[in-house]
Amino acid sequence: MKKVSGSKAKVSISAPGTKKTEVYVQAYAGGDKSKATNVVSIKPYWYRVVLVGNYEYDDGNNPLPGSRFDVTGMATLFGKQTERIRKVYNATAGTILNAVTGTFGGASKNTVCVFMYSGHGYTGYGDWSGALACVDGSYIFPATLKNRIENCTDSEHVVILLGSCGSGGFFDPNGNETPSMDPQIFTDSFIHTFSAPAANAGEFATSRYTVIACAAAHTEGWCYWWWDGTGAYV
């Protein structure tokens, strides 16, 4: 399959069928198969990606033009080695959850499933903490998103990217946060979340999930874009 000379620490081999779930490799020297290495199993990984940009709201929330650019930028980033990608704009909770099912459904254990949300979020506490605010006034709660993901895929690698006010509430360590803007308290909350045993570490804190959130449950984030008068944001 691949002949090399000398000592090689790394060899690239093109395996036929790029969507194979598993490839087996064995090496031997000088044409003598009696000196072959053990067979090594390599499991290639692929991405399935859902990118949500809610930027035009019909429920009274301010428009967020930056969310549209978040989606296009991330789509470019995941342009390679992506098995399935879906871009969703200005959507209700139902539309977003259906996109999760349609995109992640049937993904293998070795597939990396990525969910990104950019839009408004709820900055309250308790069960509402971190809820993602959709364009029609509906919401997606942490448990709702988690249940939808776990009901449609066996993927062992799920990445959640949240860009909204209050999005840190999706994985708060104790289901609530100290009502303070003290950055040290926020930092301590992160330290506790990622050092505590999984059973005590919040909604998504298991080895299956990686969560990146822009704000604590009580924190608002702002992004300003300027209209240049020609029909484009700059």
Side-chain angles (χ1 to χ4, degrees):
M1 296 287 290
K2 183 80 171 183
K3 185 176 181 179
V4 297
S5 60
S7 177
K8 295 283 186 178
K10 181 179 179 180
V11 177
S12 296
I13 301 173
S14 297
T18 58
K19 299 299 183 184
K20 297 288 186 183
T21 58
E22 197 163 11
V23 178
Y24 299 92
V25 179
Q26 187 178 38
Y28 56 91
D32 185 355
K33 293 187 178 181
S34 66
K35 299 179 180 179
T37 65
N38 293 329
V39 175
V40 177
S41 171
I42 301 174
K43 295 182 179 180
Y45 65 90
W46 293 87
Y47 293 102
R48 293 196 184 192
V49 184
V50 175
L51 303 174
V52 181
N54 279 351
Y55 57 89
E56 290 183 352
Y57 283 76
D58 56 18
D59 63 352
N61 277 299
N62 292 328
L64 296 171
S67 296
R68 177 163 56 101
F69 300 117
D70 290 343
V71 170
T72 56
M74 293 298 286
T76 300
L77 176 66
F78 285 104
K80 296 182 179 180
Q81 204 163 330
T82 299
E83 188 176 53
R84 190 178 299 171
I85 186 168
R86 185 168 299 185
K87 295 180 285 187
V88 182
Y89 297 102
N90 300 325
T92 65
T95 299
I96 294 170
L97 293 172
N98 287 337
V100 169
T101 301
T103 307
F104 295 167
S108 66
K109 290 184 178 181
N110 211 45
T111 299
V112 181
C113 290
V114 180
F115 174 85
M116 186 205 79
Y117 175 87
S118 179
H120 281 296
Y122 187 75
T123 56
Y125 297 91
D127 293 339
W128 281 82
S129 180
L132 308 180
C134 302
V135 295
D136 61 342
S138 58
Y139 289 87
I140 296 178
F141 298 93
T144 305
L145 178 60
K146 183 181 181 184
N147 289 340
R148 180 59 65 99
I149 292 171
E150 296 193 344
N151 286 336
C152 70
T153 179
D154 292 328
S155 169
E156 295 178 348
H157 313 283
V158 180
V159 179
I160 311 292
L161 306 175
L162 302 173
S164 73
C165 297
S167 58
F170 256 66
F171 67 116
D172 176 70
N174 302 308
N176 56 70
E177 290 189 9
T178 303
S180 168
M181 298 300 287
D182 182 350
Q184 185 58 49
I185 293 177
F186 185 36
T187 302
D188 289 344
S189 175
F190 269 84
I191 293 172
H192 172 77
T193 298
F194 290 102
S195 61
N200 303 319
E203 187 68 46
F204 286 97
T206 70
S207 59
R208 185 181 189 185
Y209 293 97
T210 300
V211 182
I212 301 175
C214 75
H218 56 280
T219 304
E220 295 180 345
W222 298 94
C223 179
Y224 290 97
W225 294 84
W226 289 267
W227 184 261
D228 68 359
T230 65
Y233 288 95
V234 295

